[in-house]
Amino acid sequence: MNDKEYMIIALKEAKKAYKKNEVPIGAIIVKNNKIISKAYNKKEKTQISTQHAELLAINKACRRLKTWHLDDCILYTTLEPCMMCAGAIVQSHIKKIVYSLANPKFGGIENSNEFKNNKYVIIKGIYEEKSLILMKNFFKNKR
């Protein structure tokens, strides 16, 4: 599978969040071309502010691999990770991050010096329009 195919799976996770009245963000973690974990936002369901798709996916991957070192893993997410999730990415040693939609207000990748060095591979904009439509529809229905 390639980055686009994996992002489609992350978008499916985001759609699950949308259907459950959660901000529609989905994330998956891949290692050696195998999906290790999938997750979507669960802040509303759990009433816990840290239940972001990326953190949930990282936690599941760590449990599955029995290590917090996710060096050989790739994170796919439908929205640029926030500062909290970006910190978890650094701590878990994920070196490749692929996301659909930039997050100018809360993004922790593009606005961080940590991710501007050569340690990380950052790919953005895959299915950006699909993620944008999902987010716009979600917040339009909230108003």
Side-chain angles (χ1 to χ4, degrees), residues 2-90:
N2 61 38
D3 288 343
K4 285 186 173 185
E5 292 169 311
Y6 285 124
M7 190 58 74
I8 289 291
I9 297 167
L11 280 162
K12 286 180 184 176
E13 290 297 305
K15 288 175 185 174
K16 288 179 188 177
Y18 183 93
K19 288 177 183 172
K20 294 181 185 252
N21 204 30
E22 299 277 357
V23 176
I25 301 169
I28 67 168
I29 294 181
V30 173
K31 181 176 182 175
N32 299 327
N33 296 314
K34 183 177 179 186
I35 297 171
I36 302 302
S37 65
K38 298 189 268 187
Y40 56 88
N41 275 4
K42 292 186 178 177
K43 283 172 50 173
E44 294 300 323
K45 178 183 177 185
T46 63
Q47 292 298 297
I48 298 172
S49 60
T50 58
Q51 297 295 285
H52 291 201
E54 299 90 340
L55 291 183
L56 293 169
I58 287 169
N59 290 343
K60 286 179 183 179
C62 290
R63 282 193 302 273
R64 181 154 186 209
L65 298 174
K66 295 179 174 57
T67 181
W68 60 271
H69 291 273
L70 303 179
D71 305 72
D72 299 324
C73 295
I74 303 168
L75 171 70
Y76 293 85
T77 183
T78 57
L79 184 68
E80 176 187 357
C82 70
M83 292 178 285
M84 175 180 65
C85 293
I89 291 165
V90 171

Coordinates of all heavy atoms in Angstrom, one line a residue, residues 2-90:
N2 N 0.3 2.3 -0.4 CA 1.1 3.6 -0.5 C 0.4 4.6 0.5 O -0.6 4.4 1.1 CB 1.2 4.1 -1.9 CG -0.2 4.4 -2.5 OD1 -1.1 4.9 -1.9 ND2 -0.3 4.1 -3.8
D3 N 1.0 5.8 0.5 CA 0.5 6.9 1.4 C -0.9 7.2 1.2 O -1.7 7.4 2.1 CB 1.4 8.1 1.3 CG 2.8 8.0 1.9 OD1 3.0 7.0 2.7 OD2 3.6 8.8 1.6
K4 N -1.4 7.3 -0.1 CA -2.8 7.6 -0.4 C -3.7 6.5 0.1 O -4.8 6.8 0.7 CB -2.9 7.8 -1.9 CG -2.4 9.1 -2.4 CD -2.7 9.3 -3.8 CE -2.3 10.7 -4.3 NZ -2.7 11.0 -5.7
E5 N -3.3 5.3 0.0 CA -4.2 4.2 0.4 C -4.3 4.2 1.9 O -5.4 3.9 2.5 CB -3.6 2.9 -0.1 CG -3.8 2.7 -1.7 CD -3.0 1.6 -2.2 OE1 -1.8 1.4 -1.9 OE2 -3.6 0.8 -3.0
Y6 N -3.2 4.4 2.6 CA -3.3 4.5 4.1 C -4.1 5.7 4.5 O -4.8 5.6 5.5 CB -1.9 4.5 4.7 CG -1.1 3.2 4.6 CD1 0.1 3.1 4.0 CD2 -1.7 2.1 5.2 CE1 0.8 1.9 4.0 CE2 -1.0 0.8 5.2 CZ 0.2 0.8 4.6 OH 0.8 -0.4 4.5
M7 N -4.0 6.8 3.8 CA -4.8 8.0 4.2 C -6.2 7.7 4.1 O -7.0 8.2 4.9 CB -4.3 9.2 3.4 CG -4.9 10.5 4.0 SD -4.6 10.8 5.7 CE -2.8 11.3 5.6
I8 N -6.6 7.0 3.1 CA -8.1 6.6 2.9 C -8.6 5.9 4.2 O -9.7 6.1 4.7 CB -8.3 5.7 1.7 CG1 -8.1 6.5 0.4 CG2 -9.6 5.0 1.7 CD1 -9.2 7.5 0.1
I9 N -7.7 5.0 4.8 CA -8.1 4.3 6.0 C -8.2 5.3 7.2 O -9.1 5.2 8.0 CB -7.1 3.2 6.3 CG1 -7.2 2.1 5.1 CG2 -7.4 2.5 7.6 CD1 -6.1 1.1 5.1
A10 N -7.3 6.3 7.2 CA -7.4 7.3 8.3 C -8.7 8.1 8.1 O -9.3 8.5 9.1 CB -6.1 8.2 8.3
L11 N -9.0 8.4 6.9 CA -10.3 9.1 6.6 C -11.5 8.3 7.0 O -12.5 8.9 7.5 CB -10.4 9.5 5.1 CG -9.6 10.7 4.7 CD1 -9.4 10.8 3.2 CD2 -10.2 12.0 5.2
K12 N -11.4 7.0 6.9 CA -12.5 6.2 7.4 C -12.7 6.3 8.9 O -13.8 6.3 9.4 CB -12.3 4.7 6.9 CG -12.6 4.5 5.5 CD -12.3 3.0 5.1 CE -12.5 2.8 3.6 NZ -12.2 1.5 3.2
E13 N -11.6 6.4 9.6 CA -11.6 6.6 11.0 C -12.2 7.9 11.4 O -13.0 8.0 12.3 CB -10.2 6.4 11.6 CG -9.6 5.0 11.6 CD -10.4 4.1 12.4 OE1 -10.6 4.3 13.6 OE2 -10.9 3.0 11.9
A14 N -11.8 9.0 10.6 CA -12.4 10.3 10.8 C -13.9 10.3 10.6 O -14.6 10.9 11.4 CB -11.7 11.3 9.9
K15 N -14.4 9.5 9.6 CA -15.8 9.4 9.4 C -16.5 8.7 10.5 O -17.7 9.1 10.9 CB -16.1 8.7 8.1 CG -15.7 9.6 6.9 CD -15.9 8.9 5.6 CE -15.4 9.7 4.4 NZ -15.3 9.0 3.1
K16 N -15.9 7.8 11.2 CA -16.4 7.2 12.4 C -16.6 8.2 13.5 O -17.7 8.2 14.2 CB -15.5 6.0 12.9 CG -15.5 4.8 12.1 CD -14.6 3.8 12.7 CE -14.3 2.6 11.8 NZ -13.3 1.7 12.3
A17 N -15.6 9.1 13.7 CA -15.7 10.1 14.6 C -16.9 11.1 14.3 O -17.7 11.4 15.2 CB -14.4 10.9 14.7
Y18 N -17.0 11.4 13.1 CA -18.1 12.3 12.6 C -19.4 11.8 13.0 O -20.3 12.5 13.5 CB -17.9 12.5 11.1 CG -18.9 13.5 10.5 CD1 -18.6 14.8 10.3 CD2 -20.2 13.0 10.0 CE1 -19.5 15.7 9.7 CE2 -21.1 13.9 9.5 CZ -20.7 15.2 9.3 OH -21.6 16.1 8.7
K19 N -19.6 10.5 12.7 CA -20.9 9.8 13.0 C -21.2 9.8 14.5 O -22.4 9.6 14.9 CB -20.9 8.4 12.4 CG -21.0 8.4 10.9 CD -20.9 7.0 10.4 CE -20.9 7.0 8.8 NZ -20.7 5.6 8.3
K20 N -20.2 9.9 15.3 CA -20.4 9.8 16.7 C -20.3 11.2 17.4 O -20.1 11.3 18.6 CB -19.3 8.9 17.4 CG -19.5 7.4 16.9 CD -18.5 6.5 17.5 CE -18.7 5.1 17.0 NZ -19.3 4.2 17.9
N21 N -20.5 12.2 16.5 CA -20.5 13.6 17.0 C -19.1 14.0 17.6 O -19.1 14.9 18.5 CB -21.6 13.9 17.9 CG -22.0 15.3 18.0 OD1 -21.9 16.0 17.0 ND2 -22.5 15.8 19.1
E22 N -18.1 13.5 17.1 CA -16.7 13.8 17.6 C -16.1 14.7 16.4 O -16.4 14.5 15.2 CB -15.8 12.6 17.8 CG -16.3 11.7 18.9 CD -15.9 12.1 20.3 OE1 -15.2 13.1 20.4 OE2 -16.4 11.4 21.2
V23 N -15.1 15.5 16.7 CA -14.4 16.2 15.7 C -13.8 15.2 14.8 O -13.1 14.3 15.3 CB -13.3 17.2 16.3 CG1 -12.5 17.8 15.2 CG2 -14.0 18.2 17.2
P24 N -14.1 15.2 13.5 CA -13.7 14.1 12.6 C -12.2 14.1 12.2 O -11.8 14.5 11.2 CB -14.6 14.4 11.3 CG -14.7 15.9 11.3 CD -14.8 16.3 12.8
I25 N -11.5 13.5 13.1 CA -10.0 13.3 12.9 C -9.8 11.8 13.1 O -10.2 11.2 14.1 CB -9.2 14.1 13.9 CG1 -9.5 15.6 13.7 CG2 -7.7 13.8 13.7 CD1 -8.9 16.5 14.8
G26 N -9.1 11.2 12.2 CA -8.7 9.8 12.3 C -7.2 9.6 12.1 O -6.6 10.5 11.5
A27 N -6.7 8.6 12.7 CA -5.2 8.3 12.6 C -5.0 6.8 12.6 O -5.8 6.1 13.2 CB -4.5 8.9 13.9
I28 N -3.9 6.5 11.9 CA -3.5 5.1 11.9 C -2.0 5.1 12.0 O -1.3 6.1 11.7 CB -3.9 4.3 10.6 CG1 -3.2 4.8 9.4 CG2 -5.4 4.3 10.5 CD1 -3.4 3.9 8.1
I29 N -1.4 4.0 12.5 CA 0.0 3.8 12.6 C 0.4 2.5 11.8 O -0.3 1.5 12.0 CB 0.5 3.8 14.0 CG1 0.3 5.2 14.7 CG2 2.0 3.4 14.1 CD1 0.7 5.3 16.1
V30 N 1.4 2.7 11.0 CA 1.8 1.6 10.1 C 3.3 1.3 10.4 O 4.1 2.2 10.6 CB 1.7 2.0 8.6 CG1 2.2 1.0 7.7 CG2 0.2 2.3 8.3
K31 N 3.6 0.0 10.4 CA 4.9 -0.5 10.5 C 5.1 -1.7 9.6 O 4.3 -2.6 9.5 CB 5.2 -1.0 12.0 CG 6.7 -1.5 12.1 CD 7.0 -1.9 13.6 CE 8.4 -2.3 13.7 NZ 8.8 -2.5 15.0
N32 N 6.2 -1.6 8.8 CA 6.5 -2.6 7.8 C 5.3 -2.9 6.9 O 5.0 -4.1 6.7 CB 7.0 -3.9 8.4 CG 8.3 -3.6 9.2 OD1 9.1 -2.8 8.8 ND2 8.5 -4.3 10.3
N33 N 4.6 -1.9 6.4 CA 3.5 -2.0 5.5 C 2.3 -2.8 6.2 O 1.4 -3.3 5.5 CB 3.9 -2.7 4.2 CG 4.8 -1.8 3.4 OD1 4.6 -0.6 3.3 ND2 5.9 -2.4 3.0
K34 N 2.2 -2.7 7.5 CA 1.1 -3.4 8.2 C 0.5 -2.3 9.2 O 1.2 -1.7 9.9 CB 1.6 -4.6 9.0 CG 0.5 -5.3 9.7 CD 1.1 -6.6 10.4 CE 0.0 -7.3 11.1 NZ 0.4 -8.4 11.9
I35 N -0.8 -2.3 9.2 CA -1.5 -1.3 10.1 C -1.4 -1.9 11.5 O -1.8 -3.0 11.8 CB -2.9 -1.1 9.7 CG1 -3.0 -0.4 8.3 CG2 -3.7 -0.2 10.7 CD1 -4.4 -0.3 7.7
I36 N -0.8 -1.1 12.4 CA -0.6 -1.5 13.8 C -1.7 -1.1 14.7 O -2.1 -1.7 15.6 CB 0.8 -1.0 14.3 CG1 1.9 -1.5 13.5 CG2 1.0 -1.3 15.8 CD1 2.1 -2.9 13.4
S37 N -2.2 0.1 14.4 CA -3.3 0.7 15.2 C -4.2 1.7 14.3 O -3.7 2.3 13.4 CB -2.8 1.4 16.4 OG -2.1 2.5 16.1
K38 N -5.4 1.8 14.7 CA -6.3 2.8 14.1 C -7.1 3.5 15.3 O -7.4 2.8 16.3 CB -7.4 2.1 13.2 CG -6.8 1.4 12.1 CD -7.9 0.9 11.1 CE -8.4 -0.5 11.4 NZ -9.3 -1.0 10.4
A39 N -7.4 4.7 15.1 CA -8.2 5.4 16.1 C -8.8 6.7 15.6 O -8.5 7.2 14.5 CB -7.2 5.8 17.3
Y40 N -9.8 7.2 16.3 CA -10.4 8.5 16.0 C -10.7 9.2 17.3 O -10.6 8.6 18.4 CB -11.7 8.3 15.2 CG -12.8 7.4 15.9 CD1 -13.7 7.9 16.8 CD2 -12.8 6.0 15.6 CE1 -14.6 7.1 17.4 CE2 -13.7 5.2 16.2 CZ -14.6 5.7 17.1 OH -15.6 4.9 17.7
N41 N -11.0 10.5 17.2 CA -11.2 11.3 18.4 C -12.3 10.7 19.2 O -13.3 10.3 18.7 CB -11.6 12.7 18.0 CG -10.4 13.6 17.7 OD1 -9.3 13.2 17.7 ND2 -10.7 14.9 17.4
K42 N -12.1 10.8 20.6 CA -13.1 10.3 21.5 C -13.3 11.3 22.7 O -13.6 10.9 23.8 CB -12.8 8.9 22.0 CG -12.9 7.9 20.9 CD -12.6 6.5 21.5 CE -12.8 5.4 20.4 NZ -12.5 4.1 20.9
K43 N -13.0 12.6 22.5 CA -13.1 13.5 23.6 C -14.5 13.6 24.1 O -14.7 13.7 25.3 CB -12.6 14.9 23.1 CG -11.1 15.0 23.0 CD -10.6 16.3 22.4 CE -11.2 17.5 22.9 NZ -10.6 18.8 22.4
E44 N -15.5 13.7 23.2 CA -16.9 13.9 23.7 C -17.4 12.6 24.4 O -18.0 12.7 25.5 CB -17.8 14.2 22.5 CG -17.5 15.5 21.8 CD -17.7 16.7 22.8 OE1 -18.6 16.7 23.6 OE2 -16.9 17.6 22.6
K45 N -17.1 11.5 23.9 CA -17.5 10.2 24.5 C -16.9 10.0 25.9 O -17.6 9.7 26.8 CB -17.2 9.0 23.6 CG -17.5 7.7 24.2 CD -17.1 6.5 23.4 CE -17.4 5.2 24.1 NZ -16.9 4.1 23.4
T46 N -15.6 10.3 26.0 CA -14.9 10.0 27.3 C -14.9 11.3 28.2 O -14.7 11.1 29.4 CB -13.5 9.6 27.0 OG1 -12.8 10.7 26.4 CG2 -13.4 8.4 26.2
Q47 N -15.2 12.4 27.6 CA -15.0 13.7 28.4 C -13.6 13.9 28.9 O -13.5 14.4 30.0 CB -16.1 13.8 29.5 CG -17.5 14.0 28.9 CD -17.7 15.2 28.1 OE1 -17.5 16.3 28.6 NE2 -18.0 15.1 26.8
I48 N -12.7 13.4 28.2 CA -11.2 13.5 28.5 C -10.6 14.3 27.4 O -10.6 13.8 26.2 CB -10.6 12.2 28.8 CG1 -11.3 11.4 29.9 CG2 -9.1 12.3 29.0 CD1 -10.8 10.0 30.1
S49 N -10.0 15.4 27.7 CA -9.4 16.3 26.7 C -8.3 15.7 25.9 O -8.0 16.2 24.8 CB -9.0 17.6 27.3 OG -8.0 17.4 28.3
T50 N -7.6 14.7 26.4 CA -6.4 14.2 25.7 C -6.8 13.0 24.8 O -5.9 12.4 24.2 CB -5.4 13.7 26.7 OG1 -6.0 12.7 27.6 CG2 -4.8 14.9 27.5
Q51 N -8.0 12.7 24.6 CA -8.4 11.6 23.7 C -8.4 11.9 22.3 O -9.4 11.7 21.6 CB -9.8 11.0 24.2 CG -9.8 10.5 25.6 CD -8.9 9.3 25.8 OE1 -9.3 8.2 25.4 NE2 -7.8 9.5 26.4
H52 N -7.3 12.4 21.8 CA -7.1 12.7 20.4 C -6.8 11.4 19.6 O -6.2 10.5 20.1 CB -6.0 13.7 20.2 CG -6.3 15.1 20.7 ND1 -5.6 16.2 20.3 CD2 -7.2 15.5 21.6 CE1 -6.0 17.3 20.9 NE2 -7.0 16.9 21.7
A53 N -7.2 11.4 18.3 CA -7.0 10.3 17.5 C -5.5 9.8 17.5 O -5.2 8.6 17.6 CB -7.4 10.5 16.1
E54 N -4.6 10.8 17.4 CA -3.2 10.5 17.3 C -2.7 9.8 18.6 O -1.9 8.8 18.5 CB -2.3 11.8 17.0 CG -2.7 12.4 15.7 CD -3.8 13.5 15.8 OE1 -4.5 13.5 16.8 OE2 -3.8 14.3 14.9
L55 N -3.1 10.4 19.7 CA -2.6 9.8 21.0 C -3.2 8.4 21.2 O -2.5 7.5 21.7 CB -3.0 10.7 22.2 CG -2.3 12.0 22.3 CD1 -2.8 12.7 23.6 CD2 -0.8 11.9 22.3
L56 N -4.5 8.2 20.8 CA -5.1 6.9 21.0 C -4.4 5.9 20.1 O -4.1 4.8 20.5 CB -6.6 7.0 20.6 CG -7.4 7.8 21.6 CD1 -8.8 8.1 21.1 CD2 -7.5 7.1 23.0
A57 N -4.0 6.3 18.8 CA -3.3 5.4 17.9 C -1.9 5.1 18.4 O -1.5 3.9 18.4 CB -3.2 6.0 16.5
I58 N -1.2 6.1 19.0 CA 0.1 5.8 19.5 C 0.0 4.9 20.7 O 0.8 3.9 20.8 CB 0.8 7.2 20.0 CG1 1.2 8.0 18.7 CG2 2.0 6.9 20.9 CD1 1.6 9.4 19.0
N59 N -0.9 5.1 21.6 CA -1.1 4.2 22.8 C -1.4 2.8 22.3 O -0.8 1.8 22.9 CB -2.2 4.7 23.7 CG -1.9 6.0 24.4 OD1 -0.7 6.4 24.5 ND2 -2.8 6.7 24.9
K60 N -2.3 2.6 21.4 CA -2.6 1.3 20.9 C -1.3 0.6 20.3 O -1.1 -0.6 20.5 CB -3.7 1.3 19.8 CG -5.1 1.6 20.4 CD -6.1 1.6 19.3 CE -7.5 1.9 19.8 NZ -8.4 2.0 18.7
A61 N -0.6 1.4 19.5 CA 0.6 0.8 18.8 C 1.6 0.4 19.9 O 2.3 -0.7 19.7 CB 1.2 1.9 17.9
C62 N 1.8 1.2 20.9 CA 2.8 0.9 22.0 C 2.4 -0.4 22.7 O 3.2 -1.3 22.9 CB 2.9 2.0 23.0 SG 3.7 3.5 22.4
R63 N 1.1 -0.5 23.0 CA 0.6 -1.8 23.6 C 0.8 -3.0 22.7 O 1.2 -4.0 23.1 CB -0.9 -1.6 24.0 CG -1.1 -0.8 25.3 CD -2.5 -0.9 25.8 NE -3.5 -0.5 24.9 CZ -4.0 0.7 24.8 NH1 -3.5 1.7 25.5 NH2 -4.9 1.0 23.9
R64 N 0.5 -2.8 21.4 CA 0.6 -3.9 20.5 C 2.0 -4.4 20.3 O 2.3 -5.6 20.2 CB -0.1 -3.6 19.2 CG 0.0 -4.7 18.2 CD -1.1 -4.6 17.2 NE -1.0 -5.8 16.3 CZ -1.4 -5.8 15.1 NH1 -1.9 -4.8 14.5 NH2 -1.3 -6.9 14.4
L65 N 2.9 -3.4 20.2 CA 4.3 -3.7 19.9 C 5.1 -3.9 21.2 O 6.3 -4.3 21.2 CB 5.0 -2.6 19.1 CG 4.4 -2.4 17.7 CD1 5.0 -1.2 17.1 CD2 4.6 -3.6 16.9
K66 N 4.5 -3.7 22.4 CA 5.1 -3.8 23.7 C 6.4 -3.0 23.8 O 7.3 -3.4 24.4 CB 5.4 -5.3 24.0 CG 4.1 -6.1 24.1 CD 4.4 -7.6 24.4 CE 3.2 -8.4 24.7 NZ 2.2 -8.5 23.7
T67 N 6.3 -1.8 23.3 CA 7.4 -0.8 23.4 C 6.9 0.6 23.1 O 5.9 0.8 22.4 CB 8.6 -1.1 22.4 OG1 9.6 -0.1 22.6 CG2 8.1 -1.1 21.0
W68 N 7.5 1.6 23.8 CA 7.2 3.0 23.4 C 8.0 3.5 22.3 O 7.8 4.6 21.9 CB 7.2 3.8 24.7 CG 8.6 3.9 25.4 CD1 9.0 3.1 26.3 CD2 9.6 4.8 25.1 NE1 10.3 3.4 26.7 CE2 10.7 4.5 26.0 CE3 9.7 5.9 24.3 CZ2 11.9 5.2 26.0 CZ3 10.9 6.7 24.3 CH2 12.0 6.3 25.2
H69 N 9.0 2.7 21.9 CA 9.8 3.1 20.7 C 9.2 2.8 19.4 O 9.2 1.6 19.0 CB 11.2 2.5 20.8 CG 12.0 2.9 22.0 ND1 12.9 4.0 21.9 CD2 12.2 2.5 23.2 CE1 13.5 4.2 23.0 NE2 13.0 3.3 23.9
L70 N 8.6 3.7 18.8 CA 7.9 3.5 17.5 C 8.7 4.0 16.3 O 8.2 4.5 15.3 CB 6.5 4.1 17.5 CG 5.6 3.7 18.7 CD1 4.3 4.5 18.6 CD2 5.4 2.2 18.7
D71 N 10.0 3.8 16.4 CA 11.0 4.3 15.4 C 10.7 4.0 14.0 O 10.8 4.8 13.1 CB 12.4 3.8 15.7 CG 12.9 4.1 17.1 OD1 12.3 3.4 18.1 OD2 13.7 5.0 17.3
D72 N 10.3 2.8 13.7 CA 10.0 2.3 12.4 C 8.6 2.5 11.9 O 8.2 1.8 11.0 CB 10.5 0.9 12.2 CG 12.0 0.7 12.5 OD1 12.7 1.6 12.2 OD2 12.3 -0.3 13.1
C73 N 7.8 3.3 12.6 CA 6.4 3.4 12.3 C 6.1 4.7 11.6 O 6.9 5.7 11.7 CB 5.6 3.4 13.6 SG 5.7 1.8 14.5
I74 N 5.0 4.8 10.9 CA 4.5 5.9 10.2 C 3.2 6.3 10.8 O 2.3 5.4 10.9 CB 4.4 5.7 8.7 CG1 5.8 5.2 8.1 CG2 3.9 6.9 8.0 CD1 5.7 4.7 6.7
L75 N 3.0 7.6 11.1 CA 1.7 8.1 11.5 C 1.0 8.7 10.4 O 1.5 9.6 9.7 CB 1.8 9.0 12.7 CG 0.6 9.8 13.1 CD1 -0.4 8.8 13.8 CD2 0.9 11.0 14.0
Y76 N -0.3 8.3 10.1 CA -1.1 9.0 9.1 C -2.3 9.6 9.9 O -2.9 8.9 10.7 CB -1.7 7.9 8.1 CG -0.7 7.3 7.2 CD1 0.1 6.2 7.6 CD2 -0.4 7.9 6.0 CE1 1.1 5.7 6.8 CE2 0.6 7.3 5.2 CZ 1.3 6.2 5.6 OH 2.2 5.7 4.8
T77 N -2.5 10.8 9.7 CA -3.6 11.5 10.4 C -4.3 12.5 9.4 O -3.6 13.1 8.5 CB -3.2 12.2 11.7 OG1 -4.3 12.7 12.3 CG2 -2.1 13.2 11.5
T78 N -5.6 12.7 9.6 CA -6.3 13.6 8.7 C -6.2 15.1 9.0 O -6.5 15.9 8.1 CB -7.8 13.2 8.8 OG1 -8.3 13.3 10.1 CG2 -8.0 11.8 8.3
L79 N -5.6 15.4 10.1 CA -5.4 16.8 10.5 C -4.0 16.9 11.1 O -3.6 16.0 11.8 CB -6.4 17.3 11.5 CG -6.3 18.8 11.8 CD1 -6.7 19.7 10.6 CD2 -7.3 19.1 13.0
E80 N -3.3 18.0 10.8 CA -2.0 18.2 11.4 C -2.1 18.1 12.9 O -2.9 18.7 13.5 CB -1.5 19.6 11.0 CG -0.2 20.0 11.7 CD 0.2 21.5 11.4 OE1 -0.5 22.2 10.7 OE2 1.2 21.9 12.0
P81 N -1.2 17.3 13.5 CA -1.3 17.1 14.9 C -1.1 18.4 15.7 O -0.3 19.2 15.3 CB -0.2 16.1 15.2 CG 0.0 15.4 13.9 CD -0.3 16.4 12.8
C82 N -1.8 18.5 16.8 CA -1.7 19.6 17.7 C -0.4 19.5 18.5 O 0.4 18.6 18.3 CB -2.9 19.7 18.7 SG -2.8 18.4 19.9
M83 N -0.1 20.5 19.3 CA 1.2 20.6 20.0 C 1.3 19.4 21.0 O 2.4 18.8 21.1 CB 1.3 21.9 20.8 CG 1.5 23.1 19.9 SD 1.6 24.6 20.8 CE -0.1 24.8 21.3
M84 N 0.2 19.0 21.6 CA 0.2 17.9 22.5 C 0.6 16.6 21.8 O 1.5 15.8 22.2 CB -1.1 17.7 23.2 CG -1.2 16.5 24.1 SD -2.9 16.4 24.9 CE -4.0 16.2 23.5
C85 N -0.1 16.4 20.7 CA 0.1 15.2 19.9 C 1.5 15.2 19.2 O 2.2 14.1 19.2 CB -0.9 15.0 18.8 SG -2.6 14.7 19.5
A86 N 2.0 16.4 18.8 CA 3.3 16.5 18.3 C 4.4 16.1 19.3 O 5.4 15.4 19.0 CB 3.6 17.9 17.8
G87 N 4.1 16.5 20.6 CA 5.1 16.1 21.6 C 5.1 14.6 21.8 O 6.1 14.0 22.0
A88 N 3.9 13.9 21.7 CA 3.9 12.5 21.8 C 4.6 11.8 20.7 O 5.2 10.7 20.8 CB 2.4 12.0 21.9
I89 N 4.5 12.4 19.5 CA 5.2 11.8 18.3 C 6.7 11.9 18.5 O 7.4 10.9 18.3 CB 4.8 12.6 17.0 CG1 3.3 12.4 16.7 CG2 5.7 12.3 15.9 CD1 2.7 13.4 15.7
V90 N 7.2 13.0 19.0 CA 8.6 13.1 19.3 C 9.0 12.1 20.4 O 10.0 11.4 20.2 CB 8.9 14.5 19.8 CG1 10.4 14.6 20.3 CG2 8.7 15.5 18.7

